[in-house]
Amino acid sequence: MAANLTTVQALAVLQKNSDQLFLVVTGLFVFFMQAGFGFREAGSVRSKNTTNILVRTMLNVFISGIAYWAIGYAFAYGTPSNFFLGHSNFFLSLPVVDVTHARWFFQFTLAATCVSIVSGALSERAEFAACLVYAMLIAGFLYPVVSHWAWDPTGWLRTGAGDAGLVFPNFSRRLFQDFAGSGVVHMTGGAIALVGAIMVGRRIGRFEGRRAVRIPEHNVPLVSLGTFMMFLGLLAFNVGAQGAISRSGDGEAVSVITVNTVISASMGGLVAMLLKRVGILGKPNWTYLTAANGALTGMVSIAAGCNEVYTWGALVIGTVAGLTYCMWSRLLQALRIDDPVDTIAVHLGGGFWGLVAAPILSRNGIIQEVSTMNLKLFGWNLAGAVAIFGWGVVTAVVIFGIMKCFGALRVDGEVEMQGLDIPKHDEPAYPQDGYGHGWRQGSDRKYAGVNNDGYVTSAATDGFVTSAVPISKIAVPEKPRGAAPLAPVIYDDVPYIREMQVSGRAPRDLRDPRDMVLSRDPRDSATYYVNQPYF
């Protein structure tokens, strides 16, 4: 008997430990997704704002950790609680029992994800201090309240707000079907990001009248690296929502979640790329960024029902997710809402579609049986989507509105044009002094280079420097006597000027771009872009 009791106790300990390990490991991968957010956003903006993006991403994690520990977890899962929020266990004042601390860690990574969703939409023009304020409020209050509604046993979305018509004997399915956060995390972040992008305003030069002007990303490989990190993080995001691995059926559930997430992401990326290729999103071409955003939208959309749908259902969700991304992206451009990384289209659009699709395509959903109960569940998910969107919009209007009234939401125009890295951080991501080498470039030809002091040096055939002049004095080389006329200069080393020349907004025979000021918008003076090697 003693041996049997010991065995039972050992199995109980193993079960508890395995569940905690499961939450911690999946949480670690979701935590690693913050690096994906950082790389993806940094690569999607101009290089003059790279450091600002990376610092904000790092501080999002730090602030979210403290805020969620102090008050966030208490508002989400504190006991006792009411239908709206928890109101106890602040500063994680709980004993180390079962999976409490492991659950806190996993939920903290979701709160940090919600914050990072908002951060991307405000890139390149939001005040640094404003980013710190909204990070604290989202992780400490806005997201925890929504997660309490949907995932806490007393939350009104989970319990049906006390409506006896939604509850009947032997009903084991969730009333509000949002297994891994299509609404709770992604729609919440997307709604706040939408309000933030509107209130902070458009980047200078993003629109000319009603026409959208493309501001190119500075590093597509960096975007690609960040995107694949996010793929991995979102897989763990959906898998970790299972919450345990030791119960009967947990292994099968985790496998189904993984397969459905991969299928939806794959189809979302393919559909978005094909729609771009046929010209739905402007010039028809095979675009990496469109495919990546379509795949991310597929992963966001499947989160609500990833444990309940068949694989063909995941295929349908991913297909519509790719179309959803394209439609939302076009709509935002038509409304002249500036979102540098399309985070609103991915998370708000994809999250809403996920909440709509879950009660339709689940194994016992409307697609299988059009019953009164299934229609009620569908309506309940729609009500939840409206409530989440309304909560995010109203609270965001208050937060961003107050900061805007005090002039603390957006940087001034000069700082925006010059980039945030140097005035805000004094830490350029690509310092000019960090480039170049000391080797001779050849003894049989004349060459020129830029030294670390910002001077252009010229060398004779022996390779020694014979003169040095400030780079600001350099224009187009003079034509030697008797030589053919010089061809128009294309400034390949100054991407902004080159784009202006190719598009016809700047003369192709430009001798010194410092003399050029764009006629369409005086704020687009070329002076800065030539004086800075990166922007």
Side-chain angles (χ1 to χ4, degrees):
M1 178 65 72
N4 290 337
L5 183 61
T6 302
T7 301
V8 170
Q9 291 175 336
L11 287 174
V13 170
L14 179 62
Q15 181 182 23
K16 184 175 72 172
N17 289 347
S18 61
D19 288 343
Q20 293 185 70
L21 181 63
F22 174 77
L23 283 172
V24 169
V25 170
T26 53
L28 288 172
F29 282 105
V30 180
F31 182 84
F32 184 65
M33 186 167 63
Q34 293 298 320
F37 274 113
F39 286 149
R40 176 177 164 78
E41 292 171 19
S44 296
V45 302
R46 290 162 289 186
S47 62
K48 62 184 180 182
N49 298 310
T50 302
T51 299
N52 180 261
I53 294 292
L54 297 177
V55 173
R56 281 168 47 189
T57 303
M58 181 176 64
L59 289 181
N60 285 344
V61 175
F62 296 165
I63 294 172
S64 297
I66 298 301
Y68 200 71
W69 163 74
I71 58 176
Y73 190 83
F75 287 141
Y77 302 107
T79 53
S81 61
N82 56 42
F83 72 95
F84 189 79
L85 79 171
H87 47 78
S88 58
N89 307 125
F90 293 97
F91 301 98
L92 202 61
S93 56
L94 293 167
V96 183
V97 177
D98 295 330
V99 296
T100 301
H101 285 65
R103 186 186 187 196
W104 177 91
F105 175 67
F106 184 79
Q107 287 294 326
F108 145 70
T109 64
L110 305 191
T113 298
C114 190
V115 173
S116 293
I117 290 170
V118 179
S119 179
L122 310 184
S123 298
E124 298 202 282
R125 74 270 200 206
E127 272 286 0
F128 187 72
C131 300
L132 307 184
V133 171
Y134 72 65
M136 179 183 64
L137 293 174
I138 292 172
F141 184 67
L142 273 63
Y143 164 76
V145 168
V146 177
S147 61
H148 178 85
W149 293 352
W151 292 339
D152 188 79
T154 62
W156 68 272
L157 279 176
R158 178 163 176 170
T159 62
D163 181 7
L166 280 174
V167 183
F168 61 90
N170 301 321
F171 183 72
S172 59
R173 290 162 57 195
R174 295 170 182 255
L175 296 181
F176 181 67
Q177 299 180 59
D178 187 11
F179 178 77
S182 288
V184 174
V185 179
H186 299 288
M187 265 199 75
T188 302
I192 299 170
L194 175 63
V195 175
I198 293 172
M199 297 194 73
V200 78
R202 302 177 289 272
R203 289 172 292 173
I204 295 173
R206 179 65 177 92
F207 293 92
E208 290 183 350
R210 305 299 303 180
R211 185 176 71 88
V213 177
R214 180 174 177 266
I215 298 179
E217 58 285 335
H218 89 277
N219 195 323
V220 173
L222 203 61
V223 176
S224 177
L225 177 62
T227 300
F228 276 96
M229 288 179 176
M230 291 186 67
F231 287 165
L232 179 62
L234 287 172
L235 274 169
F237 194 112
N238 293 352
V239 167
Q242 182 67 17
I245 198 63
S246 64
R247 301 166 302 192
S248 176
D250 280 341
E252 292 83 357
V254 165
S255 301
V256 168
I257 292 166
T258 304
V259 172
N260 283 339
T261 303
V262 170
I263 291 174
S264 182
S266 302
M267 201 63 193
L270 288 172
V271 169
M273 176 175 274
L274 290 174
L275 290 174
K276 172 65 175 175
R277 181 63 183 86
V278 299
I280 297 297
L281 290 177
K283 182 179 178 181
N285 47 37
W286 304 100
T287 306
Y288 172 82
L289 296 173
T290 301
N293 284 332
L296 290 173
T297 307
M299 301 187 93
V300 168
S301 299
I302 194 64
C306 57
N307 65 323
E308 287 285 343
V309 301
Y310 294 106
T311 52
W312 61 263
L315 191 76
V316 173
I317 290 174
T319 301
V320 179
L323 176 62
T324 297
Y325 162 71
C326 294
M327 292 175 58
W328 275 83
S329 183
R330 290 287 291 185
L331 176 63
L332 293 172
Q333 285 193 22
L335 296 175
R336 299 202 303 167
I337 298 173
D338 186 13
D339 181 0
V341 295
D342 263 345
T343 187
I344 300 170
V346 170
H347 296 278
L348 180 57
F352 177 75
W353 161 237
L355 288 184
V356 170
I360 296 176
L361 297 172
S362 62
R363 294 189 184 96
N364 299 310
I366 294 176
I367 196 70
Q368 300 291 336
E369 180 185 4
V370 182
S371 64
T372 301
M373 187 62 199
N374 281 338
L375 292 176
K376 276 188 166 185
L377 291 173
F378 176 71
W380 195 242
N381 260 41
L382 286 180
V386 171
I388 291 171
F389 180 77
W391 171 257
V393 167
V394 171
T395 53
V397 167
V398 173
I399 293 169
F400 292 118
I402 293 174
M403 289 191 286
K404 188 169 185 176
C405 288
F406 286 96
L409 184 57
R410 180 169 180 150
V411 300
D412 60 52
E414 182 180 359
V415 172
E416 181 181 347
M417 291 296 291
Q418 293 181 354
L420 279 67
D421 285 359
I422 294 177
K424 295 295 182 181
H425 310 287
D426 194 23
E427 194 174 18
Y430 306 101
Q432 182 179 355
D433 290 351
Y435 290 83
H437 54 76
W439 294 93
R440 287 187 358 184
Q441 301 184 15
S443 58
D444 57 346
R445 59 185 176 87
K446 188 174 182 178
Y447 69 89
V450 180
N451 66 17
N452 288 340
D453 296 322
Y455 284 82
V456 173
T457 60
S458 61
T461 55
D462 59 2
F464 290 98
V465 174
T466 59
S467 63
V469 295
I471 190 173
S472 60
K473 301 298 183 182
I474 296 297
V476 179
E478 294 296 330
K479 179 176 70 69
R481 291 183 180 180
L486 291 174
V489 176
I490 294 294
Y491 286 83
D492 287 307
D493 57 334
V494 187
Y496 185 81
I497 299 302
R498 182 184 185 282
E499 181 182 352
M500 306 298 281
Q501 290 177 311
V502 172
S503 65
R505 295 176 62 194
R508 297 179 68 89
D509 59 350
L510 189 65
R511 304 286 289 183
D512 188 344
R514 289 166 187 76
D515 297 331
M516 182 190 75
V517 177
L518 302 180
S519 59
R520 292 179 180 268
D521 189 342
R523 293 172 298 183
D524 277 344
S525 169
T527 303
Y528 168 74
Y529 295 102
V530 176
N531 288 337
Q532 295 292 330
Y534 301 93
F535 63 94

